[in-house]
Amino acid sequence: MIKKVTDNISLSGVSSPLLPLIYCDFIFNSGDTEGVYFQYNENDGITSVFSLKNGCITLARVKDADLSELSMFFDFLGVSEIISDYPLDDSFEKIPLLETTARYENASDVSFLLETSKLSEYLGVYNLLNDSEGEFSGWYSNFSKKINSGVACGVYKVYDDSIVSTVTATAIYDKTAIISGVFTNPLYRGKGYASRCVKAVINQLCKKNVEKVYLWCEEDKIPFYKKLGFKFSGQIYLRKV
């Protein structure tokens, strides 16, 4: 049985690196179907927790879930993407999950997204992270709310009056955070800008009492993150419809 959560919830006891994303989807949902759902077994025990935001499902397994029920429900919702800490079926792509301990790092020579940041700063970050057009307003509305609420942070490097590198942590919950955006303009790679931005984000997360930081990436990016103190933690599973 699947039920939508309609009031403040406690996710204590649920262990998943995806919980910060799920928590933020609960706070910042905007549609009738968006938000957080619990799946229960016949004994009213929670078997999985998932959220829906902008057509994307973020799924955390608690116990033995009813995978058939989840699949049918997701089809009913018409989701376009599923991110999970376990695969519903063999159609899911495995992506390496890395983790590190939040710590104080040298955060010089970069700028931070703050409550006082200008629209142009957000636009510069968005343009680096996205190659789509016409979607900035929705991204800005959601991400700026997270920044102002203290559940996200972002840093960027400026060179020649342009933002050339950025790192964003888009979800913070229960001393855990997820870095979901790391990008440098190809013309400015190899100069250490991304490394400085990652260290700056980790420093900012440490100030927010975050203890563990997660990210997922392509296999060929693992050596880069290992140099920054990350280690292999497991797998995240992704399916796009």
Side-chain angles (χ1 to χ4, degrees), residues 39 47-48 50 57-61 65-75 79 81-93 236-239 241:
Q39 182 191 51
T47 56
S48 62
F50 63 90
I57 290 287
T58 304
L59 173 66
R61 184 174 186 172
D66 185 336
L67 304 186
S68 176
E69 181 185 42
L70 288 174
S71 293
M72 287 189 294
F73 192 73
F74 296 164
D75 288 340
V79 302
E81 182 176 279
I82 301 173
I83 302 171
S84 175
D85 58 7
Y86 69 104
L88 288 176
D89 53 52
D90 57 10
S91 67
F92 279 73
E93 174 189 2
I236 289 294
Y237 299 87
L238 171 67
R239 185 179 74 187
V241 177

Side-chain angles (χ1 to χ4, degrees), residues 65-66 102 124 157 175 188 204 240:
D66 185 336
K157 168 66 180 174
K175 298 183 178 182
Y188 296 91
Q204 195 173 27
K240 294 185 178 182

